[in-house]
Structure formats: C-alpha cells, structure tokens
Amino acid sequence: MPDAPIGRPRTIAPHHIAAVALELFTARDFDAVSMDDVAAAAGVSRRSVFRLFPSKGSLVWGGFDEFTERVAAALRAVPADVDGDTAVCSALVTASAFPPDDQDVTRRRLLVIDRNPSLASEGAAQHSALTQVLREAIAERDGVEHADLHVAVRAAARAAEATAALTWWAREGAESPEAVVERALGGSAVRD
C-alpha cells in the first residue's frame, strides 16, 4: 500500500475554477463544454468541481451572490434619511464599481449569460435575492409595508435596470460599469 501524501490537502480555489470555466464558455459554446472539460482545464477532479459547483450554470452565476452582498453593504453605508429609491440607486452604482481585477471575469460572466438564455432560469434565485434586498431597503426607508405592490415593483424594476445596464456594459461599454449603471438609473445615486 503506498504511503499517504504528507501535509495538508491541496486547496482548490473556486474563483480559479469559475475563471477557467468562463474562458471555456467564451471560447466555445456554453452547451459544448462539459463539467469534465472544466475539471481537466482547471487541473482538478470532476468530483472537486461538483463539490464546489453543483451545476454548470452555477459556475457562471457564482459572482451574483457577491454582487448582492456588495449592494447590501452599500445600502448600509447610505445615510438613514435618504429615501428608498435614491438609496437603492446609490447602492447599485457603488456595487457595480468592480475591482479592476474582477472586471474581466464579470464581463465574461455577463456575456455567457446573455448568449445563453437557458441560464436565466438558473439565475432566478440569485436575481430574487437581489430584488429582496432592494425591496427591504425601499420599504424600511420609505416607511411602507414590505408587501406593498409599489415597493415590490420598484425593487424588481431597479434590479432589472441594473442587470440590463451591466449586460450592456459587458457587450458595448467602454465606460466603467458603475458609470453605465448610474446612467441607466437616471443619475439617482447619492453624491458624497
């Protein structure tokens, strides 16, 4: 029986695997790339990929949770006396200021989603989580019930506007992503 390896097991970086997958999805077609292809290109086992990413779509949508967390953090930084819509717009702009190292991966992610409508259903949960964060902020700041129709519609509309703006930025934009989102939202962000 061979000796077991000495030392700690190798750490597998989820961001690395997602970046490799996005390169493959960009070079080929999303549907033409298998999880085995991703594992081989990333230099890890298929099992390791599935342990970190339960589906091929989750390789693409993984960054959306981080974006929602960035929006929530940005909302907490907006002064409490700012109305719901202005606070939400400001938070979406702030969260769209991706660090330079993340912009290429974000652009690829959005382009893969844009080219593959089948991914939309897999991202519904992530989009719903973002809308929920916006909905809670609008209701709390405007002193309105969370279940109010206008709160639900405003939150969903702002989430969709920001998503559409970022997708446009991924395809067309020479500007920064936050400038595109701010322009799409009508310049409603809070100024420092």
Side-chain angles (χ1 to χ4, degrees), residues 34-77:
S34 70
M35 291 295 259
D36 288 329
D37 296 333
V38 172
V44 298
S45 70
R46 182 177 195 271
R47 183 175 180 211
S48 293
V49 173
F50 273 109
R51 189 168 29 90
L52 296 167
F53 300 97
S55 69
K56 197 164 62 165
S58 65
L59 286 159
V60 179
W61 281 102
F64 208 83
D65 292 337
E66 293 171 19
F67 180 74
T68 299
E69 290 168 13
R70 290 163 51 100
V71 170
L75 278 164
R76 289 189 294 274

Side-chain angles (χ1 to χ4, degrees), residues 18-190:
V20 168
L22 288 169
E23 285 180 32
L24 291 172
F25 299 152
T26 302
R28 296 167 29 194
D29 183 60
F30 177 78
D31 292 327
V33 177
S34 70
M35 291 295 259
D36 288 329
D37 296 333
V38 172
V44 298
S45 70
R46 182 177 195 271
R47 183 175 180 211
S48 293
V49 173
F50 273 109
R51 189 168 29 90
L52 296 167
F53 300 97
S55 69
K56 197 164 62 165
S58 65
L59 286 159
V60 179
W61 281 102
F64 208 83
D65 292 337
E66 293 171 19
F67 180 74
T68 299
E69 290 168 13
R70 290 163 51 100
V71 170
L75 278 164
R76 289 189 294 274
V78 175
D81 62 340
V82 174
D83 68 274
D85 196 56
T86 304
V88 159
C89 289
S90 181
L92 288 166
V93 170
T94 299
S96 297
F98 302 105
D101 293 346
D102 291 348
Q103 284 192 15
D104 184 55
V105 169
T106 301
R107 185 182 301 271
R108 286 177 190 222
R109 200 170 252 146
L110 290 166
L111 289 173
V112 169
I113 292 167
D114 188 45
R115 285 188 218 129
N116 297 280
S118 63
L119 284 169
S121 63
E122 195 156 338
Q126 286 85 349
H127 201 270
S128 179
L130 173 62
T131 302
Q132 184 65 26
V133 166
L134 301 182
R135 190 174 179 174
E136 289 170 6
I138 292 169
E140 180 180 318
R141 286 172 178 274
D142 292 353
V144 181
E145 287 294 319
H146 183 269
D148 182 81
L149 170 65
H150 292 97
V151 170
V153 170
R154 286 167 51 207
R158 289 304 189 186
E161 287 173 317
T163 302
L166 287 170
T167 301
W168 182 88
W169 163 78
R171 280 193 317 261
E172 313 286 341
E175 306 169 70
S176 68
E178 66 271 22
V180 171
V181 170
E182 184 169 17
R183 208 158 43 97
L185 297 176
S188 301
V190 174

